[in-house]
Amino acid sequence: MSDLNFDYALLIPEFILVGTAILIIMADLFRKELGLGRLVLPAIAALGTIAAGAASLAYIDDVDDFANVIAIDNYTTFFRVLFTVVLLVVVVSGYEYVERNIRHTGEFYALLLLSTVGAIYMAGARELLTAYISIELLSFSLYVAVSLAKTNPRSAEAGLKYVLLGGVASAMLLYGMSLIYGTAGSTQYSEIAAAFSGGTSEYGFALLLGLVLLIAGLGFKASAVPFHMWTPDAYEGAPLPITAYLSATSKAATFALLLRIFAGPLLPVIDQWQWMMATIAVMTMVGGNLIALQQTNIKRLLAYSSIGQVGYMLMAITTISDASASALLVHVAGYLITNLAVFSAVIAFHNRTGKEELDDFAGLAETNPYLAMVLTAGMFSLAGMPLLAGFVTKFILFQAAASGGYLWLATVAVIASTISLYYYLQVIRRMYLLEPARGESGRWRLSPAGYIATGTLTAGVFLVGIYAGPLFTVADRAARVLALS
Amino acid sequence: MLNRLPIPAQFDRIIVVGATIAVLGALPIAAVLIALLLLDELTAPEVVFWAVAALIVAGALGTVLLPNIVHAAVSLVATLLGVAGIYLLLGSEFLALVQLLVYGGGVTILLLFGLMLTRAADDPVIADGAQKPFAFGVAALIGGIFVAAVLDANWSQTDAAAIGIRDIGQRLFRDYGVPFEIASLVLLVALIGAIAIARSDQPEPEAAEAEEVTT
């Protein structure tokens, strides 16, 4: 044991990420002097990410909670690995796009790395202020990254909307946290749980208001209906890799935080928030999937589809239990793989054509059958077809909800999931049944990085769909940290 | 009407008139508070609290209601200084000093500098939308709910204990060392973001020259 108060070695993955970010900024500054090629920055980012992911694997089963502020345990490690994988995918599949469409590439990669640090600490936080500052680290990086597109005026608009609404949501979150702090007398999760388990009748309305504000603020970050207004605009205006990142890391990190809070300190007051969660879950599932039916832009379609997916995940928070916690982790992992497969295909498509309307996908099966296959697998998986990741993860998620006494919620989820099949099929119909636009019927190929990213992720979609056992085991070990009965 | 008042031309008329109104409004409040103090209805800390609370509310109202954004920013200083007074009353003098230095000094100066550099002062009038009455209604409703919630609850810890600066230092830099570093990362991101967004899109001088050479 060292002489330090805490075992800071447990934070090495984040040290690596931050160090890589600073290295990238420095390399960007001296780009001309050092004669660096255009591939150097993404290469540094990718290597740093791989190193961080590998380093976090070294700490499986190690536990330290840094005076009850940040817990490094299997739960954190699960999300560490997940987030570094997402970051790697975004860097690899997006670097061509970034080269062409982003104003400041060095800053872009640095912000991505720093936001991943924020996401990891959102999963690890065991204290309200730490959770808050981590959310801000993730959000601030994304506010900037959303508005970095080179020529798209929508990008600046999206960034402005995101930052204004995000600021309001952060304020609500802080208000809620302060009310909970006032009632519990502490910001640490363990002490909040202890304070609330002794009964909370004397706080009544203040505690309820705190919970409402907390759920509203976090619901905004997760883009749950009715706090989803920013999502389609931000997704549409943002550069495509950032859209992918928003739909993956940003969502997963919010759910990591939600699960830790609602399965820990707020579990004793479950009667006061369960109905709110159930209401928001239903609105999000139904609303997201119904509005998605009318979309004509692939980014907006995927935005509303991701809102629908958030509804399913909120269902797991509502019916909180050991089974639904581990089901949520499985679903988050499966959703990330599937969504990233779809997004890396869309990025590859955009690199070739520069278009993102649904009608532009007409006849893709003719011009690039491989990409059409990847998109089809991804869309079917998002809709929850058997043999694909989406089916398995949704199945155990809905099963956990049903066996937790929320059969009606699971029924709504199944109906919403069936509705979603319609708009996913709309994309597939355009690719396979329609003719390509005139003069664009020639075959084309992806770049090697495109093949690697889409191929690996599609393989992952099938692997989770067919042989999900290892993922279940890992998620189970991570969820056991939460110590739900 | 303001232009006809006998005020030297080098003063901003709205500020002078606003300050006069503020002083005239503060005088009766101060008189009532002093009278209550002399009659032993209130203790001295309570008098200070009510005075500071009046300052905070007045400053906040000025921030929202003043049409000129520079005046609103100056009015915000009153609120921030008032909050420092509340911290002093709670016995946390370190926090009060930090509030004075960071918010009363730094943040306000930053705000005014931002207004100056972005030339917001050239067009300082806020255009209120048609939804202003509706927004006021919602704000009043939310404020009412908050006040009701705070009054309704039976708070467990109501007495403020002075916390020594040594304890604050140990908590902040030992227990909360990691979140403290995360906060510094947030600042780094804000800095990078501000530069990345504000930097113009024009090609850098060397690149422009290189293009000229090739053409």
Side-chain angles (χ1 to χ4, degrees), chain A residues 204-287:
Chain A
F205 190 42
L207 177 59
L208 187 69
L209 188 63
L211 289 172
V212 167
L213 290 169
L214 189 74
I215 289 178
L218 289 174
F220 172 90
K221 303 285 178 196
S223 61
V225 179
F227 315 108
H228 67 287
M229 272 64 159
W230 61 277
T231 314
D233 289 333
Y235 275 42
E236 192 185 358
L240 259 170
I242 289 298
T243 314
Y245 190 82
L246 271 175
S247 78
T249 296
S250 175
K251 290 236 153 66
T254 312
F255 273 95
L257 182 72
L258 272 171
L259 191 57
R260 254 223 219 258
I261 289 190
F262 284 92
L266 299 182
L267 194 60
V269 288
I270 185 165
D271 294 336
Q272 302 201 35
W273 55 260
Q274 202 167 22
W275 59 274
M276 292 187 236
M277 235 12 141
T279 319
I280 293 178
V282 169
M283 285 200 291
T284 310
M285 284 187 285
V286 176

Side-chain angles (χ1 to χ4, degrees), chain B residues 32-44 46-47:
Chain B
V32 169
L33 287 175
I34 292 172
L36 286 173
L37 178 65
L38 294 176
L39 293 171
D40 277 346
E41 291 288 320
L42 290 177
T43 59
E46 280 174 329
V47 169

Side-chain angles (χ1 to χ4, degrees), chain A residues 164-470:
Chain A
L164 286 177
L165 290 173
V168 173
S170 294
M172 287 201 288
L173 190 62
L174 263 187
Y175 256 130
M177 283 177 174
S178 67
L179 283 170
I180 288 172
Y181 167 65
T183 50
S186 174
T187 58
Q188 292 174 356
Y189 289 0
S190 49
E191 294 192 20
I192 295 175
F196 282 165
S197 56
T200 55
S201 54
E202 70 261 43
Y203 305 121
F205 190 42
L207 177 59
L208 187 69
L209 188 63
L211 289 172
V212 167
L213 290 169
L214 189 74
I215 289 178
L218 289 174
F220 172 90
K221 303 285 178 196
S223 61
V225 179
F227 315 108
H228 67 287
M229 272 64 159
W230 61 277
T231 314
D233 289 333
Y235 275 42
E236 192 185 358
L240 259 170
I242 289 298
T243 314
Y245 190 82
L246 271 175
S247 78
T249 296
S250 175
K251 290 236 153 66
T254 312
F255 273 95
L257 182 72
L258 272 171
L259 191 57
R260 254 223 219 258
I261 289 190
F262 284 92
L266 299 182
L267 194 60
V269 288
I270 185 165
D271 294 336
Q272 302 201 35
W273 55 260
Q274 202 167 22
W275 59 274
M276 292 187 236
M277 235 12 141
T279 319
I280 293 178
V282 169
M283 285 200 291
T284 310
M285 284 187 285
V286 176
N289 283 319
L290 282 183
I291 305 174
L293 294 178
Q294 319 164 0
Q295 301 307 318
T296 57
N297 177 297
I298 188 79
K299 279 173 165 175
R300 287 185 91 87
L301 179 103
L302 288 171
Y304 280 108
S305 130
S306 79
I307 293 175
Q309 300 282 342
V310 165
Y312 310 140
M313 298 182 207
L314 283 172
M315 188 175 68
I317 305 274
T318 310
T319 67
I320 192 88
S321 71
D322 206 12
S324 71
S326 95
L328 177 62
L329 295 188
V330 170
H331 184 70
V332 165
Y335 162 75
L336 290 193
I337 295 172
T338 308
N339 217 34
L340 287 175
V342 171
F343 266 108
S344 34
V346 173
I347 291 172
F349 179 78
H350 188 278
N351 282 343
R352 164 77 188 184
T353 61
K355 293 172 181 168
E356 51 189 45
E357 295 298 315
L358 283 188
D359 288 334
D360 300 328
F361 285 83
L364 186 65
E366 184 119 336
T367 55
N368 193 330
Y370 168 76
L371 203 59
M373 190 277 289
V374 170
L375 269 173
T376 308
M379 293 280 175
F380 271 140
S381 175
L382 281 175
M385 299 295 265
L387 285 184
L388 297 167
F391 174 76
V392 183
T393 62
K394 266 188 191 170
F395 182 79
I396 65 153
L397 195 68
F398 294 0
Q399 190 195 29
S403 60
Y406 273 81
L407 189 58
W408 66 272
L409 205 52
T411 316
V412 174
V414 171
I415 294 171
S417 184
T418 317
I419 296 172
S420 72
L421 188 57
Y422 177 80
Y423 59 80
Y424 293 129
L425 276 174
Q426 283 296 316
V427 182
I428 297 168
R429 179 182 73 92
R430 284 185 170 82
M431 291 192 299
Y432 281 94
L433 298 184
L434 298 186
E435 291 294 314
R438 205 169 294 220
E440 292 179 17
S441 54
R443 289 272 175 121
W444 52 277
R445 300 170 70 82
L446 307 185
S447 66
Y451 274 116
I452 294 171
T454 52
T456 319
L457 288 163
T458 314
V461 169
F462 279 104
L463 185 69
V464 174
I466 296 164
Y467 181 60

